Amino acid sequence: IRKTLAVSALSAFAAAQTSTTPKLDATCADVVIFMARGNNAPYHDDRTTPFIDATCSKLTAEGKSCDYIDIQFDVTLGGDYCAQITEGAANGIKQVTAFNQKCPCSHIIVNGYSEGANVAGDVLGGPGGCSFVSTGIDNTSSAGKAIAAALLWGDVRHTENQPYNVLDGASKGPYPRAGADLANLNRYSSILRSYCAAGDPVCAGGKTVADHLNYFELYTDDASSWVVAKVDAAAPLCGASSSSSSVAA
Ligand SMILES: *[C@@H]1O[C@H](CO)[C@@H](O)[C@H](O)[C@H]1NC(C)=O
């Protein structure tokens, strides 16, 4: 049995080109996707990576450049969940802010799956852990204004009946955000999507584990098209005439 597990783990590794070390930097591409992984997942895992690839491929087809960054945090199975969220939220806020300082013209997409959705939501709205640490990235700041879209997938803190909820788990939320935390996240309502299926045990208290695992298989095409539309609709962050083709004669 040990041998079988080792072999299948190895082939999963080879197929997905996953990594134990996060990708912490990106070029000043037109669009940079930040990804917060799920519990017990490697960085650049085979669950979330197809979404990054699909989004970048659609943007590239429009002539836009695209890159990604991993939000760095420990996701060890059975570890201290609150400590992991605190680490992820603090790092995510720092990473997005630092990247925006380096590349102020790049549109940013914030994205998280499962435990990583808890982190991504906290990056946007706090509380930055299981108790209050931060209100998240101010939506009126330079970094906040650079965020063109954000996606939460199977969010641990999924909140019922929010305008950005997608799928049939929209009215569920066993461990919801509330009060100021929800209000802070909702500064980003107009650029947010939260995918939650009713059967998902994590975001909806459902009974179908597969519904928590198959978001990216089912909705990558839909979500990546939505992200591209949000990027296309976003106001340019730097002078619209930054491209060399528009230099006045
Ligand atoms: C920031 O959020 C507040 C509260 O939701 C909203 O009124 C304001 O328009 C937002 N500003 C920007 C630049 O998005």
Side-chain angles (χ1 to χ4, degrees), residues 146-203:
I147 299 169
L151 300 95
L152 310 177
W153 306 81
D155 183 10
V156 172
R157 305 296 313 271
H158 184 259
T159 306
E160 69 283 358
N161 302 325
Q162 299 305 303
Y164 43 79
N165 289 354
V166 181
L167 308 182
D168 58 357
S171 64
K172 321 265 185 202
Y175 180 39
R177 292 169 189 277
D181 297 337
L182 183 61
N184 286 327
L185 175 62
N186 288 357
R187 295 174 297 188
Y188 294 95
S189 280
S190 65
I191 55 150
L192 191 55
R193 267 197 176 183
S194 182
Y195 282 85
C196 179
D200 182 337
V202 173
C203 66

Side-chain angles (χ1 to χ4, degrees), residues 40-249:
N40 202 32
Y43 290 109
H44 203 250
D45 68 321
D46 58 1
R47 187 154 293 134
T48 59
T49 299
F51 167 76
I52 297 174
D53 290 347
T55 304
C56 283
S57 130
K58 287 177 184 179
L59 288 164
T60 306
E62 285 191 348
K64 294 186 166 118
S65 55
C66 184
D67 202 348
Y68 83 95
I69 288 177
D70 291 308
I71 293 178
Q72 182 170 29
F73 68 119
D74 178 45
V75 293
T76 303
L77 184 65
D80 180 337
Y81 186 84
C82 293
Q84 293 177 351
I85 299 303
T86 303
E87 182 194 14
N91 284 343
I93 291 168
K94 256 186 255 164
Q95 289 178 265
V96 168
T97 304
F99 176 76
N100 171 256
Q101 276 160 10
K102 181 183 102 158
C103 303
C105 306
S106 297
H107 287 293
I108 291 170
I109 313 297
V110 175
N111 199 77
Y113 167 65
S114 192
E115 179 176 4
N118 190 158
V119 165
D122 279 27
V123 165
L124 299 175
C130 295
S131 53
F132 179 80
V133 178
S134 146
T135 52
I137 295 173
D138 186 337
N139 68 317
T140 65
S141 69
S142 169
K145 287 192 243 175
I147 299 169
L151 300 95
L152 310 177
W153 306 81
D155 183 10
V156 172
R157 305 296 313 271
H158 184 259
T159 306
E160 69 283 358
N161 302 325
Q162 299 305 303
Y164 43 79
N165 289 354
V166 181
L167 308 182
D168 58 357
S171 64
K172 321 265 185 202
Y175 180 39
R177 292 169 189 277
D181 297 337
L182 183 61
N184 286 327
L185 175 62
N186 288 357
R187 295 174 297 188
Y188 294 95
S189 280
S190 65
I191 55 150
L192 191 55
R193 267 197 176 183
S194 182
Y195 282 85
C196 179
D200 182 337
V202 173
C203 66
K207 294 197 169 89
T208 312
V209 171
D211 284 355
H212 186 63
L213 303 178
N214 64 17
Y215 287 109
F216 292 93
E217 285 155 48
L218 297 177
Y219 307 113
T220 279
D221 188 48
D222 171 58
S224 56
S225 292
W226 177 78
V227 167
V228 172
K230 284 294 177 192
V231 168
D232 288 347
L237 297 165
C238 299
S241 59
S242 62
S243 107
S244 56
S245 59
S246 56
V247 171

